[in-house]
């Protein structure tokens, strides 16, 4: 194998060092973002039961909330009962709260003992049941501070003030824009120093594995990999230098190309034992006293230069002066045997130049530039693997990733609502369950407006069908390798949910296709009316490493013919679905998680007996007029005061069509509502 010239080898080594340094820098920068100014406590506490009438809800934060902060209080029926808010006097917290700040690449804890209250006035208490409190503010560091909590009231009802009307205000658009710019949807990232505190609904960064701050066990593993790589490379470089010094005779920098490891100060005899000058010693390669040696090195004091063969360049085959046979040099310490001639020719062989690769010619040196590349490459790979583990461990449960929510498997914080920013939104008690989809912030909170996202593409096999004809709709989910994906996670009892709706927001269908072994999905589809439709594939694909990537992809579908668009019905709080009356109560709010209640009745005073459908008591799909942006919302796991309760974060102002699926006596019904978000 030809060896790299020294200059080239230095370039390769430099590039590898640069790669290693870049990996270390990447690891250092892989830290989760910390949020500040978070909710420390509340009165009533989250999840508490209140027996006496109250006139306000007190929310204490670790710093003063923004002047344009937004607060709502919602009664059990979905009606808002808040009546403005004001700053309260700062007071000591019952339990100190710890927040984390990124200082020099490391999280440093900071404890807060003072709470800065925002006092939200309660206009009246119209009913017993669960009340919901939502808040949105901006911390001093620019991070959004938002979340929800609930408490239960079982006292007497109180009357509303004379002339008072439930508020319908929306948050300041500047506040929403600033909050959405950070692409987060959770509550706080502060933790009380006492783990038993039921009030603080946030958690510490997942990187905190002990009471000490820092990036946590997995992140420290990445750091350890970086340190180990640096130490190993430094040790190897030092070892190479020692090897070079050991194999280089004193004087003019000449280097022996083939010895057995013995060194002498005088000139060596070409071949015969005892023929050299005193102290010279023969070049090993032949037997002592009479063995043959095809190559002998000049001693340090020898001024002669070999004339039979030019000095060997690094990586060039060594050529016998007599036979002209090229012999590939070896780095295995067997250089004398490899370079020796087979006919006993005593002619002096090639002499290495001062720039000769010491790894190739120095006795005892075992590593060439190729080995160096493999060594450093392996170390970099190990470093990046450690970084990947650290990134997963830190990012998956970090405040930025989970919005301050609890890690998977932890008991849910009572009343802590959750919403994702990708078209999927989930209630309290479901644990971390976010979906990235193709949405990001602001106007793109709703998904399904793109055919590709996350490296996957919705590829329909048919783009149109005749009206009123039952047709198999077929499609594939294709990855970046242009191969159909076949590994999908079961979410809400199905591996994939297919939603179809007309561009005029009519003709809604919720279907569940089946997948063939080649990754082709199919489902019978009938579309009665001509016109344009949007087809949404709602799924979670499973990667080779077992991680799940939830996505919502959308594509257009056409039914040829004369199209007569259906006008969007006006917004109203009641509708019918089959024989059932359905009411919707709540105030959808841009950028704020707001409760929405759906009540199903079999008669004027008879509540319907709802059954679980797809793992829940109902499902809510909300589609925006115009771009057909899609939001899929899931409810609380249990009925709340006899209603199905959702936590909805409106992605923008505008008109929406809401489709509420529920099941009674084995039959699925859909109630449809128009929602106006100012």
């Amino acid at each position: 194998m030809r060896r790299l010239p020294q200059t080239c080898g230095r370039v390769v080594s430099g590039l590898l060092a640069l790669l290693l340094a870049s990996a270390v820098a990447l690891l250092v920068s892989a830290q989760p973002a910390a949020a500040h100014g978070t909710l420390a406590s509340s009165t009533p506490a989250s999840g508490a039961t209140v027996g006496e009438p109250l006139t306000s809800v007190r929310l204490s934060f670790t710093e003063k909330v923004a002047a344009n902060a937004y607060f709502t209080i919602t009664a059990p029926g979905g009606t808002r009962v808040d009546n403005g808010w004001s700053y309260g006097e700062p007071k000591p917290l019952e339990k100190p709260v710890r927040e984390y700040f990124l200082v020099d690449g490391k999280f440093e804890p900071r404890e807060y003992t003072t709470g800065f209250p925002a006092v939200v006035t309660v206009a009246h208490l119209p009913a017993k049941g669960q009340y919901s409190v939502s808040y949105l503010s901006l911390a001093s560091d620019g991070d959004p501070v938002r979340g929800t909590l609930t408490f239960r009231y079982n006292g007497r009802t109180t009357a509303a003030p004379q002339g008072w009307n439930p508020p319908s205000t929306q948050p300041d658009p500047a506040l929403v824009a600033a909050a959405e710019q950070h692409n987060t949807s959770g509550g706080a990232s502060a933790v009380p120093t006492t783990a038993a505190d039921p009030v603080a609904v946030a958690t510490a960064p997942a990187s905190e594995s002990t009471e000490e701050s820092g990036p946590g066990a997995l992140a420290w593993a990445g750091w350890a990999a970086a340190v180990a790589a640096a130490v190993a490379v430094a040790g190897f470089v030092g070892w190479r230098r020692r090897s070079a010094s050991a194999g280089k005779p004193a004087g003019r920098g000449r280097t022996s190309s083939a010895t057995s490891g013995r060194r002498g100060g005088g000139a060596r005899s070409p071949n015969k034992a005892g023929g050299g000058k005193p102290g010279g010693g023969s070049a090993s390669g032949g037997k002592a006293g009479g063995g043959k040696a095809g190559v002998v090195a000049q001693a340090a004091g020898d001024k002669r230069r070999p004339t039979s063969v030019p000095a060997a360049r690094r990586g060039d085959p060594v050529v016998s002066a007599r036979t002209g046979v090229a012999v590939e040099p070896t780095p295995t310490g067997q250089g004398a045997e490899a370079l020796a001639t087979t006919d006993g020719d005593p002619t002096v062989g090639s002499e290495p130049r001062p720039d000769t690769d010491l790894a190739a010619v120095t006795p005892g040196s075992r590593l060439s530039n190729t080995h160096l590349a493999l060594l450093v490459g392996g170390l970099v790979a190990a470093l990046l693997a450690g970084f990947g583990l650290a990134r997963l461990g830190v990012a998956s449960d970090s405040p930025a990733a989970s919005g301050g929510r609890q890690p998977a498997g932890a008991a849910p914080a009572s009343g802590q609502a959750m919403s994702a920013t990708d078209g999927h939104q989930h209630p309290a008690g479901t644990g971390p369950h976010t979906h990235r989809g193709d949405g990001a912030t602001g106007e793109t909170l709703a998904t399904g407006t793109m055919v590709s996202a996350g490296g996957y593409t919705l590829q329909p096999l048919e783009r149109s069908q005749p009206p009123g004809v039952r047709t198999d709709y077929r499609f594939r989910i294709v990855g970046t390798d242009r191969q159909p994906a076949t590994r999908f996670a079961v979410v809400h009892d199905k591996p994939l949910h297919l939603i179809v709706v007309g561009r005029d927001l009519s003709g809604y269908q919720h279907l569940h296709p089946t997948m063939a072994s080649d990754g082709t999905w199919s489902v019978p589809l009938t579309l009665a009316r001509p016109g344009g439709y949007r087809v949404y594939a709602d799924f979670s694909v499973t990667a080779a490493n077992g991680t799940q990537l939830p996505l919502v992809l959308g594509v257009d579908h056409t039914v040829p013919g004369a199209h007569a668009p259906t006008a969007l019905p006006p917004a109203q709080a009641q509708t019918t679905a089959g024989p059932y009356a359905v009411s919707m109560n709540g105030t959808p709010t841009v950028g704020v998680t707001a409760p929405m209640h759906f009540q199903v009745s079999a008669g004027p005073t008879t509540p319907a007996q709802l059954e679980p459908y797809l793992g829940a008591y109902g499902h809510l799909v909300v589609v925006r007029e115009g771009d057909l942006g899609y939001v899929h919302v899931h409810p609380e796991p249990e009925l709340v005061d006899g209603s199905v309760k959702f936590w909805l974060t409106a992605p923008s102002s505008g008109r929406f069509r809401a489709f509420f699926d529920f099941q009674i006596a084995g039959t699925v019904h859909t109630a449809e509502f128009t929602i106006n978000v100012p």
Side-chain angles (χ1 to χ4, degrees):
M1 179 184 297
R2 293 179 60 85
R3 308 210 174 270
L4 293 173
Q6 186 177 17
T7 301
C8 182
R10 287 176 177 173
V11 171
V12 172
S13 300
L15 291 176
L16 291 171
L18 178 61
L19 178 60
L20 182 62
S22 300
V24 172
L26 183 63
L27 176 64
V28 170
S29 64
Q31 300 288 351
H36 311 136
T38 53
L39 181 67
S41 65
S42 66
T43 305
S46 179
T49 299
V50 179
E52 296 296 328
L54 70 163
T55 59
S56 65
V57 172
R58 187 183 184 92
L59 305 175
S60 294
F61 298 84
T62 57
E63 68 178 23
K64 193 175 180 179
V65 297
N68 62 346
Y70 182 81
F71 301 91
T72 65
I73 301 176
T74 306
T79 303
R80 283 179 57 178
V81 296
D82 54 280
N83 194 21
W85 70 276
S86 61
Y87 290 111
E89 285 295 324
K91 291 186 177 181
L93 295 171
E94 292 184 4
K95 298 182 180 68
V97 171
R98 180 180 299 165
E99 290 183 354
Y100 292 82
F101 293 79
L102 194 61
V103 179
D104 295 331
K106 179 182 178 183
F107 274 109
E108 298 290 348
R110 184 179 302 174
E111 287 193 353
Y112 292 84
T113 57
T114 301
F116 297 84
V119 181
V120 187
T121 303
V122 178
H124 70 123
L125 300 166
K128 297 181 179 180
Q130 188 183 84
Y131 284 72
S132 304
V133 182
S134 297
Y135 57 89
L136 173 65
S137 182
L138 206 64
S140 59
D141 64 348
D143 284 344
V145 178
R146 58 178 165 188
T148 65
L149 59 92
T150 62
F151 64 90
R152 182 162 290 278
Y153 177 68
N154 60 8
R156 62 180 177 84
T157 61
T158 60
Q162 186 174 3
W164 181 83
N165 292 313
S168 58
T169 56
Q170 296 286 314
D172 184 350
L175 175 63
V176 175
E180 296 302 340
Q181 205 170 28
H182 289 76
N183 194 20
T184 181
S185 63
S189 65
V191 289
T193 56
T194 302
D197 182 11
V199 176
V201 296
T203 61
S207 56
E208 184 198 26
S209 58
T210 67
E211 284 301 311
E212 297 180 0
S213 66
L218 287 176
W220 282 118
W223 277 101
V227 173
V231 170
V233 171
F236 173 72
V237 171
W239 176 80
R240 285 286 301 272
R241 289 179 176 175
R242 288 195 299 271
S243 298
S245 299
K248 185 186 298 182
R252 298 175 58 187
R254 311 285 184 184
T255 306
S256 173
S257 64
T259 73
S260 62
R262 294 177 296 170
R263 292 184 288 275
R268 290 180 172 82
S269 167
N271 191 21
K272 300 177 183 178
K277 294 180 181 180
S282 65
S284 71
K287 297 179 181 179
K292 299 178 181 179
V295 179
V296 240
Q298 280 185 289
D302 193 348
K303 304 298 182 181
R304 296 172 299 166
R305 296 188 60 86
T307 56
S308 56
V309 181
R313 302 284 181 179
R314 178 172 21 160
D316 291 337
V318 178
V319 183
S320 168
R322 181 172 181 268
T323 64
V325 177
V327 182
E328 188 76 21
T330 70
T332 61
Q334 305 301 321
E337 288 80 3
L339 297 176
T341 60
T342 59
D343 59 359
D345 182 12
T347 307
V348 175
S350 62
E351 177 190 7
R353 294 169 55 126
D355 63 350
T356 302
D357 184 5
L358 295 176
V361 301
T362 303
S365 176
R366 299 279 180 176
L367 291 177
S368 64
N369 284 310
T370 302
H371 292 88
L372 173 61
L374 293 175
L375 172 65
V376 179
L379 292 173
V380 171
L383 170 63
L384 293 178
F387 157 73
L389 289 174
R391 185 69 172 173
L392 289 174
V394 172
S396 61
D397 294 318
S398 67
S402 63
R405 296 186 293 271
Q406 294 169 309
S414 176
Q416 175 67 7
M418 300 174 57
S419 66
T421 58
D422 67 334
H424 290 74
Q425 299 176 9
H426 295 261
T430 57
H433 194 104
T434 60
H435 304 265
R436 295 188 182 277
D438 58 10
T441 60
E443 292 294 319
T444 58
L445 275 171
T447 56
T449 58
M450 299 174 63
V451 71
S452 298
Y456 292 87
T457 300
L458 174 58
Q459 185 182 83
L461 302 186
E462 295 87 17
R463 300 301 298 267
S464 66
Q465 65 184 77
V469 177
R470 182 183 175 92
T471 304
D472 279 344
Y473 182 78
R474 300 180 302 153
F475 63 95
R476 299 187 184 99
I477 305 297
V478 180
T480 54
D481 57 359
R482 299 186 179 181
Q483 297 300 313
T486 57
R487 300 180 61 191
F488 295 82
V490 175
V491 178
H492 300 289
D493 294 347
K494 300 292 180 180
L496 188 145
H497 301 259
L498 196 74
I499 307 297
V500 181
V501 66
R503 298 203 67 87
D504 58 2
L505 301 183
S506 66
Y508 168 86
Q509 297 184 55
H510 185 163
L511 308 173
H512 299 107
T514 57
M515 185 187 72
S517 58
D518 65 350
T520 300
W521 295 85
S522 63
V523 64
L525 175 63
T526 302
L527 299 173
R529 300 173 58 247
Y533 292 82
R534 190 70 174 175
V535 178
Y536 304 95
D538 186 338
F539 61 92
S540 291
V541 68
T542 303
N545 61 0
T547 59
Q548 295 180 10
L549 176 63
L551 294 169
V552 178
L553 305 179
V555 68
D556 287 334
H557 192 69
T558 304
V559 176
H563 174 53
T566 300
L568 197 64
Q572 57 184 9
Q574 290 82 28
T575 189
T576 59
Y580 303 101
V582 184
S583 63
M584 177 187 69
N585 293 287
T587 306
T589 307
V590 178
V592 176
T593 304
M596 301 292 295
H597 296 259
F598 290 82
Q599 184 84 43
V600 183
S601 302
T605 59
T606 306
Q609 298 298 312
L610 295 176
E611 300 171 346
Y613 168 58
L614 299 176
Y617 281 104
H619 294 269
L620 182 64
V621 169
V622 180
V623 180
R624 181 168 51 198
E625 183 183 36
D627 68 347
L628 303 184
Y630 169 100
V631 179
H632 191 178
V633 195
H634 300 283
E636 292 276 2
E638 300 295 335
L639 297 176
V640 177
D641 300 321
S643 68
V644 185
K645 182 179 182 180
F646 297 87
W647 294 94
L648 173 66
T649 305
S652 68
S653 59
R655 291 205 300 176
F656 297 79
R657 191 67 170 166
F659 305 95
F660 169 55
D661 294 330
F662 61 94
Q663 179 173 292
I664 297 176
T667 301
V668 177
H669 303 271
T670 301
E672 302 184 9
F673 298 87
T674 298
I675 298 176
N676 291 331
V677 180

